[in-house]
Amino acid sequence: IAQAQQEEGGLPDRGREELRKLESTLDGLERSRERQERRIQVTLRKWERFETNKETVVRYLFQTGSSHERFLSFSSLESLSSELEQTKEFSKRTENIAVQAENLVKEASEIPLGPQNKQLLQQQAQSIKEQVKKLEDTLEEDIKTMEMVKTKWDHFGSNFETLSVWITEKEK
């Protein structure tokens, strides 16, 4: 275009008009390409954030593995109390992970993808959320069970002590 304008006499009006139209079309295509590139970059960042958060939650679930699927057995009231406190702390950490799992579901729905990919991503996020919920439920049940056992153990200890005092008095 610049070269044609510099040539002696330039282009006829019709030729200049055609060149302007082409230039305008090229500019429009360039702007469209830049917008599309920005959308792709945003999508990529969202997907990377999703994958990072998913990895955090999955790693937590993997690390906890079978530790939450255990048979509750205690040799003393102290070991029961210690395990109860540890399980409560574990439950608090799991609550934070549950928030992250919920955010995964939200993030999966916000990533602009095709219908199939979006559905797969949402299914992954929902599955992870359900696994975390199962862990939460298991921990909650374990805490209730341990608290009940601890209460009964305390009650038994108290009654046993009372009985021991009574027997000692009767022997005297």
Side-chain angles (χ1 to χ4, degrees), residues 18-152:
E18 288 292 322
L19 282 175
R20 267 188 241 121
K21 285 181 183 177
L22 285 173
E23 187 177 27
S24 174
T25 301
L26 284 173
D27 287 344
L29 287 173
E30 181 64 21
R31 284 190 302 276
S32 175
R33 185 195 61 76
E34 288 171 356
R35 281 192 305 272
Q36 186 176 14
E37 188 177 314
R38 283 192 298 273
R39 282 194 302 269
I40 290 171
Q41 288 173 349
V42 166
T43 299
L44 185 58
R45 279 193 300 274
K46 285 182 178 184
W47 201 334
E48 287 171 341
R49 185 176 62 237
F50 173 85
E51 287 297 325
T52 300
N53 293 340
K54 181 178 98 172
E55 184 181 317
T56 300
V57 174
V58 169
R59 188 178 325 111
Y60 181 81
L61 288 171
F62 181 75
Q63 287 173 346
T64 61
S66 61
S67 67
H68 68 277
E69 296 175 2
R70 65 197 183 284
F71 181 73
L72 301 175
S73 177
F74 310 101
S75 58
S76 68
L77 184 57
E78 292 76 27
S79 69
L80 169 61
S81 297
S82 173
E83 184 66 26
L84 178 58
E85 288 309 308
Q86 288 175 6
T87 303
K88 285 180 178 180
E89 289 172 19
F90 188 42
S91 180
K92 286 178 187 173
R93 288 193 307 270
T94 303
E95 286 176 13
N96 293 333
I97 292 294
V99 170
Q100 286 181 290
E102 183 65 41
N103 288 339
L104 280 179
V105 173
K106 181 181 171 198
E107 289 173 10
S109 68
E110 292 175 350
I111 298 175
L113 298 170
Q116 252 185 336
N117 289 333
K118 189 175 207 99
Q119 183 181 15
L120 288 173
L121 207 61
Q122 288 174 324
Q123 286 173 346
Q124 284 179 6
Q126 189 62 37
S127 173
I128 290 168
K129 178 184 169 188
E130 289 168 4
Q131 290 174 41
V132 171
K133 177 67 173 141
K134 181 181 174 191
L135 176 59
E136 278 186 305
D137 292 345
T138 300
L139 291 171
E140 192 175 306
E141 190 62 36
D142 286 353
I143 289 170
K144 285 179 186 177
T145 300
M146 285 188 271
E147 286 176 338
M148 179 196 65
V149 169
K150 185 176 184 292
T151 300
K152 288 184 179 194

